[in-house]
Amino acid sequence: MGTAKQNKPTAGGVALAVAACALCLLPAMARAQLRVGFYDATCPSAEALVRQAVAAAFARDAGLAAGLIRLHFHDCFVRGCDASVLLTVNPGGGKTEREAAPNNPSLRGFDVIDAAKAAVERSCPRTVSCADIVAFAARDSINLTGSVSYQVPAGRRDGRVSNETEALLNLPPPTSTAQILTDKFAAKNLTVQEMVVLSGAHTVGRSFCISFLNRIWNGTTPIVDAGLSPSYAALLRALCPSNATQTTPITTPMDPGSPNVLDNNYYKLLPRNMGLFFSDNQLRVDPAMAALVTAFAANETLWKERFAAAMVKMGRTEVQTGRCGEVRLNCSVVNPTSSSVELGSSASAVDEEGVAAS
């Protein structure tokens, strides 16, 4: 019986692996497979090591916390929370998410994820996914900037595709109307309330001029968007030249009052016409959204509780779990693999006789 075993999966085994992958991509099943304490037995130091890497980076540059929160968001909104935003090469060819205009050059924190991954690999090789590290790092950044603690269900696997076009299609731009925001978040199973809650992350971090340039300049002519305070617009024009581009290295805090503190000041700024982006102002002019803005401006504790819950829910978006995807050895590139492994890590998805593993 031992001689009957083969190292290569049979056609039936590969079919079972594909079926298993298709099943674990179903939203309900994927959510069920994520759990708090996923690495308790296989890598009990994983979350502590990520926390140390984030804390060290935060001590050098407090702004990195906002970058790591945004990194998680931009990852989850494109192909789900699968670390696809970290890839520098798409095996299928073409530009990656990381190269797309919404991410380049504004997205940051990649080096922090790499440092955390290196530490985890030294302790527990081939065990902790980059997607989970991104989720842990976002949680730790929220704790450092806002003293908000929550547990992260883990068990995500890393994807093998990263496509610039998908980033452009899925990420809500700063020019979004209330309807576009609603639709983009609904596509990820997030409600209007959760959209308004998560928008509060704009209370930390900075923005490049290009994201709001059309609110203060029409060509070379100064203008003031109807939803922007004239005095705030004047400050922004003094900072950002009319010919600023995607790569103009000028940034401004999204929340001028407390740019490195996760608080509810964002919601207090909106009624004063000091939402930096057109999309921010949409939360104020839409009646249903405006009611939520008022509630969160009045109650920071309420907003923080809902923000933590919304981050956990967002972190479950279209995840790959079980035998789908892979655990990358290097977060910026996919693992070397054969075509059979690409079908769902066949080495672990089927046993040597082609029977689905339990």
Side-chain angles (χ1 to χ4, degrees):
M1 288 177 30
T3 58
K5 292 190 176 183
Q6 300 177 9
N7 290 329
K8 185 169 69 174
T10 65
V14 172
L16 284 170
V18 174
C21 191
L23 283 173
C24 74
L25 283 171
L26 292 174
M29 186 168 291
R31 286 196 298 271
Q33 290 185 9
L34 294 184
R35 69 177 188 274
V36 173
F38 183 84
Y39 296 109
D40 283 355
T42 57
C43 190
S45 61
E47 294 192 46
L49 290 170
V50 175
R51 190 177 305 115
Q52 290 168 14
V54 173
F58 184 77
R60 296 190 302 270
D61 178 1
L64 277 170
L68 290 166
I69 297 168
R70 185 167 178 253
L71 191 66
H72 186 37
F73 178 89
H74 281 224
D75 180 38
C76 291
F77 261 61
V78 186
R79 304 191 71 85
C81 311
D82 68 345
S84 55
V85 74
L86 305 180
L87 291 175
T88 56
V89 178
N90 182 5
K95 291 186 176 180
T96 64
E97 295 171 35
R98 192 162 165 170
E99 298 173 274
N103 296 330
N104 182 30
S106 60
L107 208 59
R108 60 195 302 230
F110 298 104
D111 54 337
V112 184
I113 301 301
D114 289 341
K117 176 64 171 174
V120 171
E121 282 296 310
R122 286 192 295 269
S123 180
C124 318
R126 302 172 180 264
T127 303
V128 182
S129 71
C130 298
D132 278 341
I133 290 174
V134 170
F136 294 148
R139 183 267 313 274
D140 297 335
S141 297
I142 289 166
N143 182 254
L144 285 168
T145 55
S147 299
V148 178
S149 299
Y150 60 92
Q151 293 184 305
V152 175
R156 299 165 189 80
R157 302 267 287 181
D158 300 324
R160 297 180 54 81
V161 177
S162 183
N163 186 288
E164 175 195 32
T165 303
E166 292 180 349
L168 296 172
L169 288 173
N170 285 277
L171 292 169
T175 55
S176 295
T177 62
Q179 189 60 57
I180 290 173
L181 289 171
T182 299
D183 292 346
K184 294 281 189 185
F185 278 74
K188 305 304 173 184
N189 195 36
L190 294 164
T191 66
V192 168
Q193 181 182 111
E194 287 160 342
M195 181 272 290
V196 176
V197 166
L198 290 170
S199 295
H202 287 177
T203 193
V204 289
R206 306 179 67 87
S207 170
F208 283 80
C209 297
I210 193 67
S211 295
F212 55 87
L213 199 68
N214 63 348
R215 303 189 78 196
I216 56 176
W217 293 105
N218 180 12
T220 58
T221 303
I223 60 169
V224 178
D225 182 289
L228 197 61
S229 158
S231 58
Y232 189 32
L235 287 173
L236 295 174
R237 274 195 304 274
L239 176 72
C240 295
S242 61
N243 62 349
T245 67
Q246 189 79 19
T247 57
T248 299
I250 301 173
T251 62
T252 188
M254 292 185 283
D255 174 356
S258 52
N260 293 323
V261 180
L262 193 80
D263 55 22
N264 67 338
N265 199 47
Y266 167 80
Y267 300 102
K268 297 176 182 178
L269 292 173
L270 296 184
R272 297 167 53 191
N273 285 349
M274 289 186 67
L276 185 59
F277 307 133
F278 177 83
S279 58
D280 290 329
N281 191 57
Q282 288 290 290
L283 306 191
R284 186 184 67 83
V285 299
D286 179 274
M289 297 176 188
L292 292 167
V293 168
T294 299
F296 297 143
N299 191 334
E300 182 171 279
T301 300
L302 172 67
W303 171 66
K304 285 185 173 181
E305 289 173 351
R306 295 194 178 175
F307 183 71
M311 287 295 293
V312 171
K313 182 178 176 181
M314 186 193 73
R316 296 180 179 274
T317 303
E318 300 167 9
V319 293
Q320 298 191 48
T321 61
R323 298 178 178 91
C324 289
E326 63 184 16
V327 173
R328 279 186 224 141
L329 305 181
N330 180 334
C331 288
S332 63
V333 294
V334 301
N335 296 339
T337 185
S338 67
S339 59
S340 62
V341 176
E342 289 176 19
L343 292 173
S345 291
S346 63
S348 59
V350 296
D351 68 15
E352 293 177 323
E353 293 181 321
V355 179
S358 60

